[in-house]
Amino acid sequence: MTSGEAEVSRRRLISGPGTLLVWLYGVMVVGAVSRSAYQIATEFDRAPLAYALSAVAGLVYGFITYSLVRGGETARRAALACCAAELVGVLTVGTWTLVEPSAFPDATVWSDFGMGYLFIPVILPVSAIYWLRASRSRDGDAA
């Protein structure tokens, strides 16, 4: 791939719906990281699992945001794998919080499938996976 093709591939990840994904993931980074940092610093002993999971969610969101902005095929693949892992995490934690609520004395970002965040945590990885796969198809058509 030439540098011009790489730049086109990069731009495609952050154009159209990709721009919205970057913005939403950026908002989720700020929300999850700031929330978990405060909770870990001030009340970690109250719900360590919940606060640690929120911190992990923030790191995942940060990596996906970086990958989308970075662009290129390697970043696309990394973001796709991370979005799949994020979706598994949201579904696992969401189910866990419904089945065993006593395990979570306080909510995580992914509790109840992200209900506290307007279900964005469950909608976002599905949307991102769709976008990353669709933009790869367009890149293959352009080559």
Side-chain angles (χ1 to χ4, degrees):
M1 180 182 287
T2 68
S3 63
E5 290 170 336
E7 182 60 29
V8 168
S9 176
R10 180 184 176 281
R11 273 187 267 133
R12 286 209 174 128
L13 281 180
I14 58 172
S15 65
T19 303
L20 179 60
L21 286 173
V22 168
W23 187 85
L24 287 171
Y25 270 114
V27 168
M28 293 304 290
V29 168
V30 172
V33 169
S34 60
R35 172 186 178 162
S36 64
Y38 174 78
Q39 290 171 322
I40 287 170
T42 62
E43 52 195 10
F44 186 71
D45 57 330
R46 184 172 147 219
L49 178 60
Y51 304 150
L53 286 172
S54 288
V56 168
L59 294 174
V60 169
Y61 294 144
F63 180 79
I64 294 169
T65 304
Y66 170 77
S67 296
L68 289 170
V69 171
R70 172 91 170 102
E73 189 55 32
T74 302
R76 179 194 324 270
R77 280 190 238 124
L80 193 54
C82 210
C83 287
E86 173 195 0
L87 182 58
V88 168
V90 172
L91 295 176
T92 301
V93 173
T95 302
W96 191 1
T97 56
L98 293 176
V99 172
E100 185 67 36
S102 63
F104 296 90
D106 202 356
T108 74
V109 174
W110 294 342
S111 292
D112 303 318
F113 306 104
M115 184 167 51
Y117 287 80
L118 305 174
F119 296 102
I120 291 171
V122 76
I123 295 167
L124 203 50
V126 173
S127 302
I129 289 168
Y130 175 79
W131 170 248
L132 289 164
R133 291 177 57 84
S135 61
R136 176 176 34 207
S137 296
R138 279 198 318 274
D139 286 348
D141 295 342

